[in-house]
Amino acid sequence: GQQVMQIPQYQHVQEGEDFTTYCNSSTTLSNIQWYKQRPGGHPVFLIQLVKSGEVKKQKRLTFQFGEAKKNSSLHITATQTTDVGTYFCAGPGSNDYKLSFGAGTTVTVRA
Amino acid sequence: GAGVSQTPSNKVTEKGKYVELRCDPISGHTALYWYRQSLGQGPEFLIYFQGTGAADDSGLPNDRFFAVRPEGSVSTLKIQRTERGDSAVYLCASSLEGGGLQETQYFGPGTRLLVL
């Protein structure tokens, strides 16, 4: 079945620096979604990408969907302490409603 | 309601006991999902309801797990003869219609289950 892999598993960032986390699928995805989970919290929807090569921005966050629709990235510029948490990508599984989550990238920020 | 709510927020039980976890989805959402999240992992799909019926229960790990949604709103996840390996956070999510390509799933705060 479809699997979504994320790298890196952990990202320790100096406040103010940029970083990128990557999501790769073994199969072509109809869409990909990104979620953020704060420590002790629940996944909160950030964005959905549908089109090949699509790029969307949310303030300091830039999301990209690969041309082949098998990979995606999240780039955060000028990292802040509020960016702490785990970022998950999720693609539809065997059916569009069944989200298949990656293991997440856990981000910590040093001031 | 304003968002998906789940009760209890925490549940501690002993091995072999029966537990029920409740989910109250966003008002008007016909689709409801249960996921299980183990430490350090992403949520793992358990079951999907479209209205009152379980459209897909392929993620339930075994027959000790069962879920209902009798009136198409509140759902209850039931676990019989709990085992220590059932310890996890059980997340509920809802979406407006379900089954579509661009549906956003809204997650509840989860129930943290600990089986001793």
Side-chain angles (χ1 to χ4, degrees), chain B residues 11-91:
Chain B
K11 177 71 178 179
V12 181
T13 190
E14 294 179 342
K15 180 175 177 295
K17 299 288 187 182
Y18 167 83
V19 297
E20 288 190 352
L21 311 179
R22 177 189 165 106
C23 171
D24 201 339
I26 293 172
S27 178
H29 281 193
T30 60
L32 185 145
Y33 317 79
W34 283 98
Y35 291 84
R36 179 167 71 174
Q37 187 174 23
S38 300
L39 195 63
Q41 299 296 318
E44 181 183 19
F45 172 83
L46 295 177
I47 187 170
Y48 158 60
F49 285 90
Q50 180 57 259
T52 60
D56 184 344
D57 64 358
S58 61
L60 295 178
N62 51 60
D63 61 6
R64 295 187 297 105
F65 288 75
F66 188 71
V68 295
R69 194 186 185 198
E71 297 179 358
S73 178
V74 171
S75 175
T76 305
L77 177 65
K78 308 180 180 191
I79 310 175
Q80 298 177 322
R81 305 182 303 280
T82 53
E83 299 177 356
R84 292 192 180 88
D86 298 336
S87 298
V89 176
Y90 289 82
L91 294 163

Side-chain angles (χ1 to χ4, degrees), chain A residues 7-111:
Chain A
I7 53 171
Q9 185 176 2
Y10 299 98
Q11 183 82 53
H12 192 53
V13 188
Q14 176 72 43
E15 188 175 18
E17 290 186 343
D18 303 350
F19 75 90
T20 303
T21 177
Y22 301 90
C23 179
N24 297 295
S25 170
S26 56
T27 59
T28 301
L29 301 169
S30 59
N31 70 88
I32 195 155
Q33 301 180 26
W34 285 88
Y35 289 78
K36 178 182 178 181
Q37 186 171 24
R38 294 183 184 275
H42 59 278
V44 174
F45 174 79
L46 292 177
I47 208 157
Q48 181 180 57
L49 304 171
V50 179
K51 299 177 183 177
S52 170
E54 187 171 12
V55 177
K56 288 188 176 180
K57 292 189 176 184
Q58 288 181 352
K59 297 183 180 178
R60 296 178 294 102
L61 278 61
T62 301
F63 303 84
Q64 186 166 6
F65 202 7
E67 293 291 339
K69 301 182 75 172
K70 295 180 72 173
N71 56 73
S72 181
S73 65
L74 161 59
H75 181 78
I76 300 182
T77 58
T79 305
Q80 300 177 358
T81 55
T82 53
D83 296 324
V84 165
T86 300
Y87 293 84
F88 293 100
C89 63
S94 54
N95 292 288
D96 285 336
Y97 53 77
K98 187 188 298 185
L99 287 176
S100 177
F101 283 80
T105 294
T106 297
V107 176
T108 54
V109 179
R110 59 181 181 272

